[in-house]
Amino acid sequence: NAGVTQTPKFQVLKTGQSMTLQCAQDMNHEYMSWYRQDPGMGLRLIHYSVGAGITDQGEVPNGYNVSRSTTEDFPLRLLSAAPSQTSVYFCASSRDLNQPQHFGDGTRLSIL
Amino acid sequence: AQSVSQHNHHVILSEAASLELGCNYSYGGTVNLFWYVQYPGQHLQLLLKYFSGDPLVKGIKGFEAEFIKSKFSFNLRKPSVQWSDTAEYFCAVTPGGADGLTFGKGTHLIIQP
C-alpha cells in the first residue's frame, strides 16, 4: 500500500519556468490537499479538493493551479515560478476533510 | 477564518522531563483537533485527534492532549520525554464540515540526552 506518492522529491527551477508537482493516492480518499511548509510559518493550505471535479482555494492559492480529474490524482501547477515559491510542498489525502490527513514525503522546490 | 496559535516555537528539554506544548484556536463553533509530528527528514504523522467525547485523548508514543473548550485550547503533554521525541510538532484545527485544515506554526522540540 503506497499511500500518498509525490513526485519529484527535489526540483530546481528558474524564475518564470512552469512545472507540475504530482500527487497520487491509492486509498480511494475523496479529500486531497496541497500545503507549503516554510520555516516559522508552519503548513499553509494552497488548494484542496473534496472529490473529483471539485477544487477550492486555501489560504495561499496565488500562483498555483490545481485540477482533480480523477479520485487518485491531484497535481499542483506552478504557471510562472517565482523565488517566493521556494518551499517544501506536501500533498495530503483523507477520507473526508474532517478526518486525519495522510501526508506524502514532500517535494523540495527551489526557484532561482 | 480560524487560526491556530502555538505558544512555544522552540523548546529544549532533557530526557525524562515532562512536556507540555500549548495550542489555542480561534474558531467558536464545533471543531476537530489534531496534533501532528514531523521527525527530521520525514513527513507529518498523526499523533492524536479529538472529535468529540472524552476531552482527554491519548495518542501514540505516550502522548496525550486535553481539549478545554472554555479556553479554546488543546495542549499536548507527555510525562517523560525521550531523545527520540526530537521533532517538530504541529497543532491543527478543522471546523466540523467546512474548509480545510489550519495548522499552527509549529514547535521545534529538542530533547538533550
Side-chain angles (χ1 to χ4, degrees):
Chain A
N1 190 347
V4 179
T5 302
Q6 289 183 238
T7 56
K9 294 191 184 304
F10 303 93
Q11 184 70 48
V12 179
L13 294 177
K14 294 181 180 178
T15 297
Q17 286 185 312
S18 63
M19 83 159 294
T20 299
L21 307 186
Q22 301 292 344
C23 175
Q25 52 91 9
D26 61 0
M27 297 172 282
N28 202 31
H29 284 166
E30 291 294 329
Y31 182 79
M32 296 186 74
S33 53
W34 277 101
Y35 297 87
R36 59 178 289 173
Q37 183 180 25
D38 303 291
M41 301 294 290
L43 277 81
R44 292 179 291 170
L45 182 65
I46 304 172
H47 286 283
Y48 65 96
S49 168
V50 297
I54 306 168
T55 63
D56 208 343
Q57 296 181 349
E59 180 184 357
V60 288
N62 292 340
Y64 307 95
N65 277 358
V66 292
S67 60
R68 185 91 180 273
S69 56
T70 67
T71 298
E72 293 77 20
D73 300 299
F74 191 44
L76 178 73
R77 297 184 186 84
L78 282 71
L79 303 177
S80 179
S84 61
Q85 293 177 304
T86 293
S87 186
V88 180
Y89 292 84
F90 287 98
C91 178
S93 75
S94 61
R95 188 158 48 87
D96 62 62
L97 63 86
N98 292 311
Q99 296 300 318
Q101 304 287 298
H102 296 256
F103 284 85
D105 288 337
T107 295
R108 186 173 296 274
L109 182 62
S110 294
I111 315 295
L112 305 179
Chain B
Q2 69 271 18
S3 65
V4 179
S5 297
Q6 292 184 237
H7 314 300
N8 312 100
H9 297 299
H10 297 276
V11 174
I12 302 174
L13 295 173
S14 299
E15 277 193 313
S18 64
L19 169 71
E20 181 160 3
L21 301 182
C23 173
N24 287 89
Y25 62 94
S26 64
Y27 187 73
T30 302
V31 292
N32 298 321
L33 299 155
F34 308 85
W35 274 98
Y36 286 87
V37 60
Q38 186 178 29
Y39 297 105
Q42 297 187 24
H43 59 261
L44 277 78
Q45 304 169 42
L46 181 70
L47 264 183
L48 48 80
K49 63 183 186 291
Y50 173 80
F51 286 177
S52 63
D54 188 342
L56 184 63
V57 294
K58 295 190 184 299
I60 61 172
K61 304 186 180 185
F63 286 91
E64 64 179 31
E66 185 176 12
F67 170 52
I68 303 179
K69 189 175 181 179
S70 61
K71 295 184 178 180
F72 298 92
S73 70
F74 191 55
N75 292 354
L76 181 71
R77 300 196 291 249
K78 185 171 183 178
S80 177
V81 294
Q82 301 172 307
W83 177 80
S84 57
D85 293 324
T86 294
E88 190 144 17
Y89 293 80
F90 295 94
C91 182
V93 173
T94 181
D99 295 329
L101 203 58
T102 298
F103 282 86
K105 294 185 177 181
T107 297
H108 189 199
L109 176 66
I110 297 173
I111 307 300
Q112 296 177 330

